[in-house]
């Protein structure tokens, strides 16, 4: 990697995959192509390479049982703070009169 004119980053970015297209896109010299034969380790049998799987999300089950409880929770989220605020004002006005 130290002797590569493009630096080690170019080699590392193409490692672990078929770098043929990367090699050809650069437009290497004939001497570089001859050196490639010297460093060739082997070829990849594409039938042994696993295919990429596409993510299939699990099916969502529509549930009507939570519709009523969702509505009740929304009402309570509105009413409970109002009750606390009303209680605070009631206590303040009661303690202020005495």
């Amino acid at each position: 990697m130290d002797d590569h004119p493009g630096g080690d980053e170019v080699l590392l970015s193409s490692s672990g995959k078929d770098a043929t297209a990367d090699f050809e896109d650069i437009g290497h010299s004939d001497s570089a192509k001859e050196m490639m034969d010297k460093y060739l380790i082997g070829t990849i049998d594409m039938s042994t390479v696993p295919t990429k799987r596409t993510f299939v999300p699990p099916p969502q089950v529509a549930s009507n049982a939570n519709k009523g409880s969702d509505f009740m929770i929304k009402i309570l989220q509105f009413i409970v703070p109002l009750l606390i605020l009303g209680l605070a004002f009631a206590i303040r006005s009661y303690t202020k009169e005495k």
Side-chain angles (χ1 to χ4, degrees):
M1 287 198 308
D2 294 335
D3 296 336
H4 189 262
D8 59 350
E9 290 180 18
V10 176
L11 295 175
L12 292 174
S13 68
S14 297
S15 64
K17 65 176 185 173
D18 183 6
T20 305
D22 294 339
F23 183 83
E24 296 297 331
D25 287 344
I26 300 299
H28 285 89
S29 65
D30 291 334
S31 62
K33 291 180 182 181
E34 290 173 8
M35 288 178 69
M36 183 175 66
D37 292 333
K38 177 181 163 185
Y39 294 109
L40 178 65
I41 295 172
T43 57
I44 298 174
D45 181 9
M46 294 307 288
S47 65
T48 62
V49 177
T51 59
K52 287 187 176 182
R53 296 182 187 176
T54 57
F55 176 71
V56 178
Q60 297 280 336
V61 177
S63 174
N64 290 334
N66 290 337
K67 299 291 182 191
S69 64
D70 287 345
F71 180 71
M72 185 59 95
I73 289 172
K74 288 181 182 180
I75 289 176
L76 288 175
Q77 286 177 337
F78 180 73
I79 292 176
V80 169
L82 288 178
L83 289 174
I84 293 172
L85 187 63
L87 182 64
F89 278 120
I91 292 173
R92 182 169 185 224
S93 66
Y94 177 73
T95 56
K96 212 175 200 184
E97 290 177 359
K98 286 187 176 185

